[in-house]
Amino acid sequence: MSEFRSTPPLPTPPRPYRFPPVRREVLENGLRILVAVRSEAPLMTVRMVVRAGAAHDPLDQPGIAIFTAEMLEEGAAGRGSMEMAEHVGDLGAALYCGADWDGSVISIDALGRHLEDVMRIVADLALRPDFPQNELERLRDERISAIRQQRDDPASVAGKLFNRFVFGSGVYANPAVGTESSVASFSRGDAESFYGRHYAPNNASLLITGAVDPDEVISLAREIFGSWVPREQAVHEPPAGPPLPDARIYLVDRPSAVQSEIRIGHSGVPRSSEDYFPLLVMNGILGGVFTSRLNLNLRERHGYTYGIRSSFSFRREGGPFVVSTAVRNDVTSASVREILTELAAIREGELTSEELAVARDYMEGVFPATVETAHDLAARLQEIELYGLPENYFDHYRERIAAVSTTDVRRVAQKYLDPSRIAIVVVGRVEEIDAPLRALEHPVGLYDIEGKPLVARS
């Protein structure tokens, strides 16, 4: 019988990892093609990435990028949504059309032997969308219903209003999925207009990963996508909102709430930041992993929450840095105080080599698991294409994590975490949490769940 261990086994050195070689071609029409072979499983991913997402939404049309992308699979090349779904299903494939802030995506996961069929489906969706009126109306109604349901979800309300308070009138202040009024106004012409401005070969990349033959991929790409006509692309500069005022509390009244949703943060940094890796490690120590300072403090030590995390939303432009949690009403003020204490501590307090090692080892260790499948590889190639990363970027990913020092962590914490301009957004029951929050000595504004100012209660 084996003996029980009294101490955990020591970690072993990480196994060597190398990102698969990437074959690159550019067609005469400007379409960029990237192929990464991984043949351990007979699967592949074919993904078209258009370099325009929700950040390209007109300020008066939030949500149109995601709406346009989702409309693609509702009908293309004369096939309706049901016929398209049946065709994809017959191949045993999975289709996704959608968008995030920086890009719009058509992606199909399938067996490698269906390469030509899948590439032709992607071509139909990208080059020949129909935008059928009946499907547009259905999708619009579904989106409006989902937005209305979010009003009853405190976490959704907190996230939406945090972005509005932090980014003011800029594009990041709007919800990526749109508002009820913007989505209600969407017409077929609006979707066609967004598509016409941004969906073009010289603004797109075709990423194929998995069990494929690069020569066959390139040959098929020339045949299937070579006739796609390029369009001139305007230089895009997302309109920025006014700078965040001094640190303040935005208290959002939800009279029925038995707990408070808390969001604390400010605008962050772009994905292209030279400090990306030190920021990853710093955030891991602060609130990015289960053993982070924030979780050990608010969950393990005080029992205020089931979980808390911090994150940077790395986009083409600086997205938000935010600490997120939900706590009981009676510990709302104490929780905010502890979060602010931890933010100050990582900027100015002691940082141990053990904390640094735990965060770095975790990030180094989990990285190979994030690039195991063809789908994972396509996601990483998408990062390279959207953010202009070097071709060998992921070959040296773990090395750059390992190179982060305590000096680096302290430097980026002091540079990028700014308590003087922090937004503290709390969605909860005002009559229980207002007075304790005012004791924190930050200015307090009262708002309803739509973000409209309320008159302070006497």
Side-chain angles (χ1 to χ4, degrees), residues 58-62 101 163-164 168-179:
L59 282 178
D60 61 348
Q61 282 192 316
W101 284 104
N163 289 330
R164 185 186 303 177
S169 58
V171 67
Y172 286 165
N174 288 330
V177 297
T179 64

Side-chain angles (χ1 to χ4, degrees), residues 49-97:
V49 177
V50 176
R51 291 183 284 278
H56 290 71
D57 289 345
L59 282 178
D60 61 348
Q61 282 192 316
I64 191 61
I66 291 179
F67 191 83
T68 299
E70 292 179 347
M71 275 299 301
L72 298 180
E73 63 180 288
E74 301 301 332
R79 285 189 291 197
S81 59
M82 292 299 296
E83 186 179 355
M84 182 70 69
E86 288 175 1
H87 185 34
V88 171
D90 288 343
L91 298 175
L95 167 64
Y96 168 78
C97 294

Side-chain angles (χ1 to χ4, degrees), residues 64-76 79-81 84 97-98 105-106 125 128-140 143 186-188 190-192 195 199:
I64 191 61
I66 291 179
F67 191 83
T68 299
E70 292 179 347
M71 275 299 301
L72 298 180
E73 63 180 288
E74 301 301 332
R79 285 189 291 197
S81 59
M84 182 70 69
C97 294
V105 171
I106 304 165
L125 297 169
R128 294 173 282 276
D130 293 329
F131 300 112
Q133 183 65 33
N134 62 324
E135 301 289 4
L136 183 143
E137 292 171 0
R138 176 187 57 76
L139 186 62
R140 187 174 57 198
R143 174 61 51 79
F186 289 165
S187 67
R188 180 179 181 182
D190 293 327
E192 289 175 332
Y195 171 86
Y199 284 68

Side-chain angles (χ1 to χ4, degrees), residues 94 150 207 294 301 331 346 384 410:
Q150 289 177 352
L207 317 175
L294 285 168
R301 189 179 312 142
V331 297
I346 200 163
I384 289 175
R410 179 62 42 71

Side-chain angles (χ1 to χ4, degrees), residues 182-389:
S182 70
V183 174
S185 72
F186 289 165
S187 67
R188 180 179 181 182
D190 293 327
E192 289 175 332
S193 177
F194 188 92
Y195 171 86
R197 289 195 305 273
H198 300 295
Y199 284 68
N202 51 315
N203 195 40
S205 300
L206 181 64
L207 317 175
I208 302 94
T209 57
V212 295
D213 176 355
D215 290 333
E216 182 184 8
V217 168
I218 300 301
S219 176
L220 284 170
R222 292 187 186 282
E223 174 190 344
I224 295 171
F225 295 95
S227 61
W228 195 5
V229 179
R231 299 186 184 94
E232 184 177 353
Q233 297 294 308
V235 176
H236 177 69
E237 296 182 3
L244 191 69
D246 293 342
R248 62 184 291 118
I249 297 171
Y250 301 83
L251 179 50
V252 182
D253 191 18
R254 192 168 184 269
S256 62
V258 296
Q259 64 177 13
S260 299
E261 285 285 344
I262 299 173
R263 303 291 183 272
I264 297 178
H266 48 59
S267 58
V269 296
R271 180 64 175 81
S272 59
S273 171
E274 63 184 3
D275 288 323
Y276 176 76
F277 288 97
L279 283 166
L280 280 187
V281 176
M282 184 274 288
N283 185 67
I285 295 168
L286 174 64
V289 300
F290 187 80
T291 57
S292 68
R293 291 181 173 189
L294 285 168
N295 210 46
L296 291 178
N297 183 335
L298 275 80
R299 175 190 162 99
E300 302 300 319
R301 189 179 312 142
H302 286 101
Y304 289 162
T305 180
Y306 287 112
I308 181 170
R309 66 187 303 269
S310 63
S311 62
F312 284 88
S313 183
F314 293 103
R315 304 171 186 166
R316 192 172 291 137
E317 305 294 329
F321 161 75
V322 61
V323 177
S324 307
T325 192
V327 301
R328 302 190 315 272
N329 287 340
D330 63 310
V331 297
T332 298
S333 178
S335 297
V336 171
R337 192 186 304 275
E338 292 298 327
I339 293 169
L340 296 179
T341 297
E342 292 294 353
L343 291 174
I346 200 163
R347 296 180 80 248
E348 306 294 344
E350 180 183 357
L351 175 65
T352 68
S353 57
E354 181 180 0
E355 279 185 296
L356 176 66
V358 168
R360 287 189 318 199
D361 290 349
Y362 174 80
M363 292 178 183
E364 287 182 70
V366 301
F367 173 70
T370 69
V371 284
E372 281 186 332
T373 68
H375 188 92
D376 295 335
L377 288 177
R380 293 300 190 174
L381 292 183
Q382 181 174 324
E383 284 186 69
I384 289 175
E385 287 298 280
L386 286 180
Y387 302 116
L389 304 178

Side-chain angles (χ1 to χ4, degrees), residues 381-400:
L381 292 183
Q382 181 174 324
E383 284 186 69
I384 289 175
E385 287 298 280
L386 286 180
Y387 302 116
L389 304 178
E391 294 183 1
N392 64 347
Y393 186 83
F394 290 108
D395 284 337
H396 304 290
Y397 190 93
R398 292 200 297 179
E399 296 169 27
R400 298 186 68 180

